[in-house]
Structure formats: C-alpha cells, structure tokens
Amino acid sequence: MKIDIAHPGYLSVQPSDLESKGLGGNETALVLAARGLAARGHEVRVFADCPRVEDQGVHWHPLPSLREEEYRDVIVFWVRTKRVEPGKFNAPVRVAKLGLKTPNDSLLDQVLNDEINILIAFSDFQRRLYLDNFGYPETANWVVTADGLDTSHYARRLPKVPGRFLHAANPKRGLEPLLDMWPIIRSAYPGAELFVASSHLLRGITVDEDERRAGDLYRRAVAMSADGVRFLGRVAKPDLIELQLTAQFYLYPTTYPETCCIAALEAAAAGDVILCSAAGALPDRVVDDVTGFLIGGDPADPAVARRFADRIALLREDPSRLERMAQAARDLAATHDYSHVLPIWEEAFTRTMGSA
C-alpha cells in the first residue's frame, strides 16, 4: 500500500531526534510505526515539520509539500486534523490516530461526514473517553490497539541494579507526588536510587517555557540528590533504554488520564515491575499483582504513598516474586510489538479500502 502519515506540525520532529535528543510518546510512536509499516513492504511517507530525509525505508518530507490531489491508498492524520479537510485528500482510507485527551473541534464532524473513515484508539479507556465524553458514535470504524513497541530494542538482558527505580514522564503528570512519597519509599528500601527522566522539551517547547512550567520541580528533584534522586531531564532513547533495562521498578503515581502510556509499555518490555496509579489507560498496561501493582487513590494522600512503599517492601523481601513479575511484564509487552499491532491496522485499511 501507499501510506502517507501527516503529523500536524505543532512541533519540529525528525527520526534522528529519537536517538539524539529524545521524543515524547506520540512522536516516538510516529517514527516507530512508520518504520514498521515500511519494513512490512508498504510505501511510506511522513509529512511533518522536518527536512527531507530517508529513514529505514521511510521518506520524510516537509509538511507544506503534502498534496491533497496526489493519490495514496491510506492517509493517517497523526493526532490532529486541525486546519485540514480530510475529505479533500485523494485516498480511499482516511485515518485519525487519536493521540490527545481532548480532540480538536472539527474531528467529530469529519467522522460523521465520513471524511475520516477509521479511528485508531490506543486503549479501551481512550475509546470510551471519545464515546462518553465527546459524543463519538459507537458505529464509527474503531481500531483499538496499543501504541506499539519495537521490542527488539529490549532484547538485551542487562543485570538489574538492586534498588534502581525509574520515572520517565511529563513532569506535570506525577513528578510532584513522586517526590513527595520518595522518602517513604526509600525508608522501605534503604539505599534506593530514583532516576528521573522528565522534561517538557520532549514536546517541542522552548527552554524558557520548560523552566516556567516545571523549573521549581526540577530544582526540587536536584536538591534531593542526597536522598538518592538522580534528575536527568531530557534523555535520548539509547540512554533511556539503558536505564529501563537496568531498573528494577518503574514508578508512576499520577492522576493524569493517560490514553496509552508508551513509557509504561517500554518499561514492561525492559522487565521493570511497574507501580502506578489506576488512572486512565494504565490498567490496560499493567496487570495488577502480575506484571506490577495498580494502586488506587490520590497519590498525594500519605496513605496511598504508604501503599506504594508497602508493595516495594514486599517485593524487596521476595526476589523470586520480583523476577516472576518482571518476566510477566516482558511477556505482556511482547504482545504489543508492532509485529502484532500493524497487522490489525492493515486489516482495517484493506477492509475499508474494499468498501470505499
């Protein structure tokens, strides 16, 4: 198939960013999904705020070069269709990848008018959010898969460092309650270290804006170095993978309604036992008491923080259980590899093309 992917251009992105300076979840998925589709024999182009570049069989082009009249079998609008009229594109299959908690205002009308004829949601939670909160029809052509992983990135087995914890998320999605509860966790696991890979810069904002939004949090994390907190800020993918592979635990106390949480998928692929809140799509990513622990309640509540610490103490005292859960996390993540996800997309593309 000829497949075009249109990234909306709200931030500059190119595939080399993944290995050099790091990308957020949506853009990581964009790069990896495009590579995966090309590897499966499709002719794939990405149009984004980027220079012309070739990447593992994918042709990247500047967004202004996207032409409505040019034929393609499938066009995927990645995250947004704002200021775009999908029905004008010469493609029998027009897909919206739902990446935001709140969709742009025009998308519902585009779905109702059949300008968009496939919706890709990345969790059951996200689909229900669009149905229940935003009035999207049950009868739309829904495809629900995880955001996808290239699990070959996690094929190595590095020794796990005892007491190494990792947190890699937007700083406004849980860093503050995590820093609040860290002393309690460290009392349950003396000598533990918490590596924090967190920055708004992954979302394409300026250094000054990042400072305005989260500078106080960053300084607080840096000031806790004596308590084992290692603040890293923005981290490129190879360095993050190294941390994921050597960490024992991934911590994510949050009230944010994640619609997928690729960071949790990656941590599971690396064999990290995840302790997180039961918010948004996180119950789709973690099987409670099997691959990690889902902990209910507001993580700012000291009683909830104590439950995090109690689960950690339990696993610290039972290394064989910790290893079983780590393997179960790897097994679950393997089911979200693009080798499983992309055939589901392809089947939907083919079916929709046949009915167009």
Side-chain angles (χ1 to χ4, degrees):
M1 295 182 204
K2 294 183 68 173
I3 301 175
D4 286 350
I5 302 174
H7 186 271
Y10 60 89
L11 63 87
S12 175
V13 58
Q14 57 183 305
S16 61
D17 291 341
L18 191 61
E19 283 75 27
S20 60
K21 57 185 181 180
L23 290 171
N26 269 320
E27 284 63 50
T28 294
L30 169 68
V31 173
L32 296 181
R35 289 175 179 174
L37 287 165
R40 294 177 66 81
H42 302 290
E43 184 180 328
V44 182
R45 300 185 300 179
V46 175
F47 294 84
D49 182 2
C50 68
R52 292 183 185 274
V53 65
E54 301 293 312
D55 173 64
Q56 298 188 26
V58 181
H59 305 273
W60 286 68
H61 300 272
L63 191 59
S65 65
L66 179 64
R67 298 286 178 259
E68 295 173 347
E69 67 277 7
E70 185 178 353
Y71 178 82
R72 70 281 287 170
D73 298 305
V74 179
I75 184 163
V76 182
F77 298 97
W78 202 265
V79 179
R80 295 181 183 177
T81 59
K82 193 174 183 179
R83 297 187 299 274
V84 172
E85 296 182 61
K88 290 187 175 182
F89 282 81
N90 186 11
V93 181
R94 299 174 298 277
V95 184
K97 182 266 191 192
L98 306 177
L100 297 176
K101 186 178 70 170
T102 304
N104 55 268
D105 293 337
S106 60
L107 182 57
L108 178 56
D109 287 339
Q110 291 161 355
V111 172
L112 295 175
N113 294 333
D114 203 37
E115 296 175 15
I116 291 291
N117 51 25
I118 293 180
L119 293 171
I120 297 181
F122 286 89
S123 63
D124 290 325
F125 168 79
Q126 187 181 33
R127 178 176 177 272
R128 292 280 8 143
L129 187 71
Y130 274 67
L131 293 173
D132 299 340
N133 291 30
F134 306 131
Y136 280 63
E138 290 264 11
T139 54
N141 191 4
W142 291 94
V143 175
V144 181
T145 67
D147 223 341
L149 285 170
D150 183 345
T151 53
S152 69
H153 293 162
Y154 300 93
R156 290 182 299 157
R157 289 290 185 94
L158 299 182
K160 292 290 187 181
V161 178
R164 176 168 288 184
F165 292 74
L166 176 63
H167 171 80
N170 183 302
K172 291 298 186 181
R173 298 183 188 178
L175 181 54
E176 184 171 12
L178 176 57
L179 295 178
D180 287 343
M181 69 170 61
W182 179 248
I184 301 171
I185 291 172
R186 204 165 192 244
S187 68
Y189 202 135
E193 290 185 300
L194 170 63
F195 288 79
V196 177
S198 183
S199 173
H200 284 115
L201 297 176
L202 294 169
R203 305 300 304 148
I205 69 168
T206 65
V207 172
D208 288 344
E209 179 64 12
D210 187 36
E211 164 64 24
R212 185 190 69 78
R213 294 187 188 186
D216 289 343
L217 267 178
Y218 299 157
R219 282 185 286 276
R220 182 182 173 197
V222 170
M224 294 176 66
S225 61
D227 298 315
V229 177
R230 310 290 176 244
F231 180 73
L232 305 173
R234 183 176 191 165
V235 176
K237 187 57 109 184
D239 297 325
L240 181 59
I241 290 172
E242 196 87 3
L243 285 169
Q244 290 163 335
L245 288 170
T246 56
Q248 284 188 310
F249 302 95
Y250 184 83
L251 290 178
Y252 193 18
T254 186
T255 58
Y256 181 78
E258 288 279 6
T259 53
C260 178
C261 196
I262 197 167
L265 279 175
E266 292 173 343
D272 300 351
V273 174
I274 301 171
L275 293 97
C276 65
S277 303
L282 288 169
D284 290 359
R285 306 283 82 91
V286 177
V287 180
D288 189 43
D289 203 22
V290 177
T291 69
F293 290 106
L294 293 165
I295 299 170
D298 185 343
D301 182 342
V304 174
R306 173 52 58 190
R307 287 200 286 275
F308 272 83
D310 288 346
R311 303 298 193 281
I312 290 163
L314 183 70
L315 293 178
R316 182 182 177 228
E317 294 164 5
D318 191 348
S320 62
R321 184 180 182 187
L322 178 63
E323 179 51 40
R324 287 196 304 273
M325 294 180 77
Q327 186 57 51
R330 293 186 190 97
D331 293 342
L332 178 64
T335 67
H336 299 314
D337 185 86
Y338 276 116
S339 63
H340 298 285
V341 169
L342 293 180
I344 298 171
W345 295 14
E346 290 166 333
E347 189 279 330
F349 296 164
T350 301
R351 173 170 34 84
T352 304
M353 193 182 311
S355 62

